[in-house]
Amino acid sequence: MPYIEAILPTIVVALVFWFVIRAVSNVDRSERAAEAKVDAQIKLAAQHEDNKSPKADN
């Protein structure tokens, strides 16, 4: 029993660390996906504006 009491805090801290790292990783993945979506929307809007504006004749 003393061996379990000695290693239990280490296991608990390791599990908490794993959950925190996993949560940070998921948030980062979601943020990158959202940023890519916004960048694509901005690029599409810019292309739409370029097609809409009159071309200058030189």
Side-chain angles (χ1 to χ4, degrees):
M1 189 69 171
Y3 298 113
I4 294 173
E5 291 173 0
I7 199 161
L8 189 61
T10 303
I11 292 172
V12 171
V13 169
L15 287 173
V16 169
F17 178 76
W18 180 74
F19 279 116
V20 168
I21 294 300
R22 191 176 82 172
V24 168
S25 177
N26 288 339
V27 168
D28 182 56
R29 185 180 312 118
S30 299
E31 181 70 21
R32 287 176 188 261
E35 187 175 348
K37 183 178 178 181
V38 170
D39 287 343
Q41 289 174 346
I42 290 171
K43 186 176 180 181
L44 183 64
Q47 287 176 349
H48 180 69
E49 286 297 318
D50 286 345
N51 292 338
K52 192 176 182 183
S53 64
K55 305 270 187 213
D57 293 331
N58 289 337

